Amino acid sequence: MTADDTRGRLEDDDYPAYTMGRAADMLGTTQSFLRAIGEARLITPLRSAGGHRRYSRYQLRIAARARELVDQGTPIEAACRIIILEDQLEEAQRVNADYRRAIESAKPPAAA
């Protein structure tokens, strides 16, 4: 593996580059918090060959959002559900916008 390959992986949002301990330190939280959001199925960390949890930058952003909600007093299970629903809403809005653009481009030009 070359240095460029390694750099490319580390720049990939989905590459599981962070151990549980490092992820918890970066988020300013505990490892048990990361386990809890995993159990709530908010994120599913990949496992190393030795079975250790590994997190991507994308997963850390989701975990940071969960931590914000929990810090505001939201129970962890509810925080996870809120984030899942926010993500589903965003995806539905994106799909609707795509459909609207497709319909607009399929309409014949207006007569002058």
Side-chain angles (χ1 to χ4, degrees):
M1 179 179 292
T2 67
D4 286 336
D5 291 340
T6 302
R7 188 174 339 112
R9 282 187 173 180
L10 292 176
E11 291 173 0
D12 180 356
D13 267 1
D14 295 319
Y15 181 70
Y18 304 98
T19 64
M20 177 180 269
R22 178 72 178 122
D25 288 344
M26 290 171 68
L27 295 170
T29 190
T30 63
Q31 293 181 18
S32 63
F33 175 81
L34 291 173
R35 278 192 221 70
I37 63 174
E39 289 169 9
R41 297 184 184 196
L42 179 61
I43 59 175
T44 303
L46 293 174
R47 298 283 182 149
S48 69
H52 300 282
R53 290 174 179 89
R54 304 283 295 197
Y55 297 88
S56 68
R57 289 190 306 187
Y58 174 73
Q59 289 172 324
L60 294 183
R61 284 195 300 273
I62 293 171
R65 174 71 177 122
R67 181 171 182 235
E68 288 174 10
L69 291 171
V70 170
D71 287 350
Q72 294 170 5
T74 306
I76 197 162
E77 297 83 13
C80 291
R81 185 69 181 138
I82 288 167
I83 294 166
I84 290 167
L85 290 171
E86 286 174 342
D87 186 55
Q88 289 172 344
L89 175 61
E90 184 180 317
E91 176 65 13
Q93 289 172 332
R94 186 194 60 75
V95 168
N96 283 341
D98 289 347
Y99 283 141
R100 283 190 198 106
R101 281 191 291 277
I103 290 169
E104 288 300 316
S105 67
K107 284 184 181 178

